[in-house]
Amino acid sequence: MAENRVIKVLLVDDHQVVRRGLRTFLEVQDDIEVVGEAADGAEGVACAEELRPDVVLMDVKMPGTDGIEALRRLRELANPARVLIVTSFTEQRTVIPALRAGAAGYVYKDVDPDALAGAIRSVHAGHVLLQPEVAEALLSQDDTGGGGQGRGNALTEREREVLALIADGRSNREIARALVLSEKTVKTHVSNILMKLDLADRTQAALWAVRQGIGA
């Protein structure tokens, strides 16, 4: 397989046994390479800056700097890595801050190994990946970090089409194919959508769209 197609993954978890298990499984995947490990959030941020992984598998509850704070720091540094939260915690007080801090997906530690590999590929491709109960928890809240229907009125018809496809979990490439646009044009539409709705990322945009009855 071509080297540029290999997904570089960083493991961030305070339990060495968990990291070892994840590494053992992921190393047999032809298209996934584990490039490093970290035992807490601060070390994870430093490793992400040094190693520039494509995807970070991040635990939430860790001593010192936890996963949510690490996510915020990565966003401040404009690190391009997509972060997939892997945790045993399901409470809304954990789920919602993690996604609002910039996580691209959220799976549990008991996830089937093949499903985990699929999740890594999915978030790397630009998808928003949520367990159904996680999405439900977010949608049960009063807001998702942005305004209500009033701000939606500022969207153009094309932007609403793009937003609907974001809510359906489509990547920029898939949106471009569906709407017969260039990926560069789709990226511009996504940026405009986030600006007009005052949202931080496409995860929040997807949740806002579902709340407003747009798309999925």
Side-chain angles (χ1 to χ4, degrees):
M1 181 170 292
E3 185 174 276
N4 63 0
R5 295 184 63 189
V6 173
I7 303 170
K8 297 184 294 183
V9 173
L10 172 67
L11 308 177
V12 184
D13 194 294
D14 60 315
H15 292 99
Q16 184 178 6
V17 172
V18 173
R19 298 199 308 272
R20 184 179 302 155
L22 289 170
R23 177 183 280 274
T24 298
F25 169 71
L26 293 175
E27 283 183 340
V28 304
Q29 305 297 312
D30 292 337
D31 60 339
I32 296 174
E33 176 189 3
V34 177
V35 295
E37 299 181 20
D40 61 43
E43 185 182 0
V45 172
C47 287
E49 285 293 282
E50 176 185 355
L51 301 172
R52 309 304 281 185
D54 300 305
V55 176
V56 179
L57 295 187
M58 181 89 73
D59 191 12
V60 175
K61 296 294 185 180
M62 295 180 286
T65 303
D66 64 16
I68 295 171
E69 178 59 28
L71 276 160
R72 294 186 181 122
R73 293 185 188 180
L74 287 173
R75 174 180 284 174
E76 290 171 359
L77 293 167
N79 191 288
R82 301 273 286 170
V83 178
L84 179 62
I85 293 294
V86 184
T87 184
S88 56
F89 290 83
T90 61
E91 301 94 331
Q92 290 185 23
R93 61 184 175 83
T94 301
V95 174
I96 294 171
L99 290 169
R100 287 183 175 167
Y106 194 108
V107 296
Y108 302 135
K109 286 184 176 178
D110 61 356
V111 66
D112 178 84
D114 290 331
L116 177 59
I120 292 171
R121 297 181 185 110
S122 182
V123 298
H124 178 251
H127 295 283
V128 174
L129 184 67
L130 300 176
Q131 300 292 318
E133 60 270 31
V134 174
E136 182 179 352
L138 279 156
L139 291 171
S140 71
Q141 300 302 297
D142 291 337
D143 66 87
T144 55
Q149 182 60 46
R151 287 181 179 172
N153 293 334
L155 299 178
T156 66
E157 186 60 34
R158 177 63 84 185
E159 287 166 352
R160 290 180 70 86
E161 290 176 342
V162 171
L163 181 57
L165 291 171
I166 291 175
D168 197 39
R170 306 288 189 92
S171 65
N172 284 353
R173 177 174 298 180
E174 290 170 331
I175 293 172
R177 289 175 180 170
L179 299 180
V180 194
L181 301 170
S182 69
E183 283 191 61
K184 183 177 180 180
T185 298
V186 172
K187 289 180 181 178
T188 299
H189 284 314
V190 172
S191 296
N192 289 339
I193 290 166
L194 297 179
M195 178 186 66
K196 290 180 179 181
L197 298 180
D198 191 23
L199 299 172
D201 53 44
R202 63 193 300 129
T203 303
Q204 291 185 3
L207 293 166
W208 186 94
V210 173
R211 178 181 293 281
Q212 302 299 328
I214 299 172

